[in-house]
Amino acid sequence: MAEITVVKEALTEEMKNAGATLTRALDQAGWPVVASFWYFESDDNQWKLMLASPRVATLGPREAYSAVADALETLHWPYSYLNHVRAVAPDHPVVKALASAFHTGWTITGIPFSRQAIDRAIIDDAYIYRVTSESAAA
């Protein structure tokens, strides 16, 4: 029987810096990001920059991706970076799980988090920039 080995995509320093920079750009544009973190989606074997905003719930994901696209344009970054972004509402299960364990305030941090169960959610891998009390209230 053949054995299949899946190699996990690494979260690079470039990706970590890009996530922090994009979060700052959205802050400067006035787009409220209550949680921002890289999240490893094991089903797809890839990292996604999760951006949680109450505006996703009120205005919809199209407006969120438009705000991200505008921030990418401001940074002179390619729109292909959108493929690595997932805009979600603060009540997303992963956001809620992280909010039950972390409160960074509105600063941008860099907290690695691996192989933990929080609030009945398994977090394989994450790199946390921000989880505010607003994300916990969702």
Side-chain angles (χ1 to χ4, degrees):
M1 179 184 282
E3 200 173 301
I4 298 174
T5 303
V6 177
V7 178
K8 180 178 176 181
E9 181 184 345
L11 182 66
T12 65
E13 287 302 314
E14 180 182 0
M15 292 167 74
K16 291 177 185 177
N17 292 334
T21 300
L22 184 56
T23 302
R24 275 189 208 93
L26 289 165
D27 286 347
Q28 291 169 352
W31 186 265
V33 178
V34 297
S36 173
F37 54 91
W38 283 102
Y39 176 71
F40 184 73
E41 294 185 340
S42 54
D43 292 344
D44 297 328
N45 194 36
Q46 64 180 353
W47 288 90
K48 290 286 187 176
L49 179 61
M50 305 281 282
L51 300 170
S53 174
R55 291 192 187 166
V56 174
T58 58
L59 301 176
R62 179 175 287 170
E63 290 296 322
Y65 288 111
S66 178
V68 172
D70 289 347
L72 291 173
E73 185 175 344
T74 299
L75 295 168
H76 305 290
W77 289 358
Y79 289 118
S80 62
Y81 280 29
L82 276 172
N83 296 330
H84 301 284
V85 173
R86 188 161 177 211
V88 297
D91 65 351
H92 185 279
V94 175
V95 175
K96 288 177 72 169
L98 289 174
S100 71
F102 293 95
H103 297 282
T104 64
W106 288 93
T107 61
I108 296 176
T109 62
I111 304 168
F113 187 78
S114 297
R115 296 174 199 86
Q116 298 287 327
I118 306 173
D119 196 26
R120 296 182 302 227
I122 302 294
I123 308 294
D124 185 34
D125 241 336
Y127 187 81
I128 301 163
Y129 299 109
R130 172 185 296 161
V131 180
T132 66
S133 58
E134 284 80 355
S135 48

